[in-house]
Amino acid sequence: MRVDVLVFDGVDDLDVTGPFETLSMARRAGADVSVRLVAEDERTAVTTAGGLRLGPVSPWSPVVADVVLVPGGGLASSQRPGVAVELGRGQIPAALREAVRPGLVLASVCTGAFLLAAAGVLGGRKATTHHMTMKALAEAGAEPVDARVVDDGDVVTAGGVTAGLDLGLWLLERFHGPEIAARVARGLEYERQGAVWLAGSVA
């Protein structure tokens, strides 16, 4: 499983590092998983909302990914880097829209869901985001679900901030089985939180 984490200036620190570490640990647990940071432009590093410099950042190449994971951060203000600025620029939503193909899973953490919505992939789809922005998610065309992770097939969304850990673990379970996910959770010393909503059932 190859996971590309799409980053941008103003991204929330834990939205990126939570799932990144979770997925990176899977290789040490025996799973064929690779994870990297990518950007839709040619930058080689980004600065998070907390001031953390992240890199190296690889070029955007979703055709070779199994999962493109979109973190959130900075939805509330367009006066500083973050999701609101990226929505205004429109380049990330356009890149995500063009990336859609059979076999590719688009995933998001927190307000990264709004970049998926702007790409047109959440219309009428079950999804989740940070609890404070659920109403706005409905206004963006999704059908909000009160769950930690929502798996709607080729679109998988997670709630706010720390839910990125549960997203990473769910992706491991979905692609590599519950034993790998459990092994990574033990390594993280993390107890999985909340429910995973699946089309037709709750895991």
Side-chain angles (χ1 to χ4, degrees):
M1 176 176 68
R2 178 166 176 169
V3 182
D4 283 359
V5 181
L6 179 59
V7 292
F8 47 88
D9 285 334
V11 70
D12 183 86
D13 300 57
L14 195 54
D15 280 14
V16 176
T17 58
F20 188 94
E21 181 166 4
T22 301
L23 294 162
S24 296
M25 285 183 67
R27 179 175 293 278
R28 283 173 277 168
D32 183 14
V33 177
S34 64
V35 56
R36 64 178 188 159
L37 304 178
V38 301
E40 53 77 29
D41 54 22
E42 296 185 359
R43 72 185 72 196
T44 57
V46 300
T47 302
T48 68
L52 183 65
R53 190 79 169 160
L54 293 179
V57 173
S58 301
W60 174 246
S61 184
V63 70
V64 297
D66 299 300
V67 179
V68 172
L69 193 157
V70 186
L75 179 66
S77 173
S78 60
Q79 302 305 306
R80 58 180 184 270
V83 168
V85 168
E86 298 305 329
L87 289 171
R89 287 177 64 239
Q91 293 180 19
I92 287 178
L96 290 167
R97 189 178 307 117
E98 292 174 5
V100 173
R101 59 173 168 80
L104 177 66
V105 173
L106 294 177
S108 67
V109 182
C110 198
T111 55
F114 290 87
L115 292 168
L116 295 185
V121 300
L122 291 189
R125 303 287 296 270
K126 303 291 188 183
T128 193
T129 183
H130 192 282
H131 71 276
M132 293 180 67
T133 57
M134 293 286 268
K135 181 179 179 181
L137 186 64
E139 293 169 351
E143 295 185 15
V145 177
D146 183 16
R148 188 76 165 172
V149 176
V150 172
D151 187 329
D152 198 23
D154 58 354
V155 176
V156 184
T157 54
V161 196
T162 58
L165 294 166
D166 295 288
L167 174 64
L169 291 168
W170 171 248
L171 290 173
L172 291 178
E173 180 171 337
R174 172 172 159 171
F175 283 88
H176 294 281
E179 183 177 339
I180 287 291
R183 197 177 304 168
V184 170
R186 284 195 299 272
L188 290 169
E189 294 197 355
Y190 178 74
E191 294 185 12
R192 296 171 75 172
Q193 305 291 311
V196 175
W197 183 95
L198 293 167
S201 65
V202 176

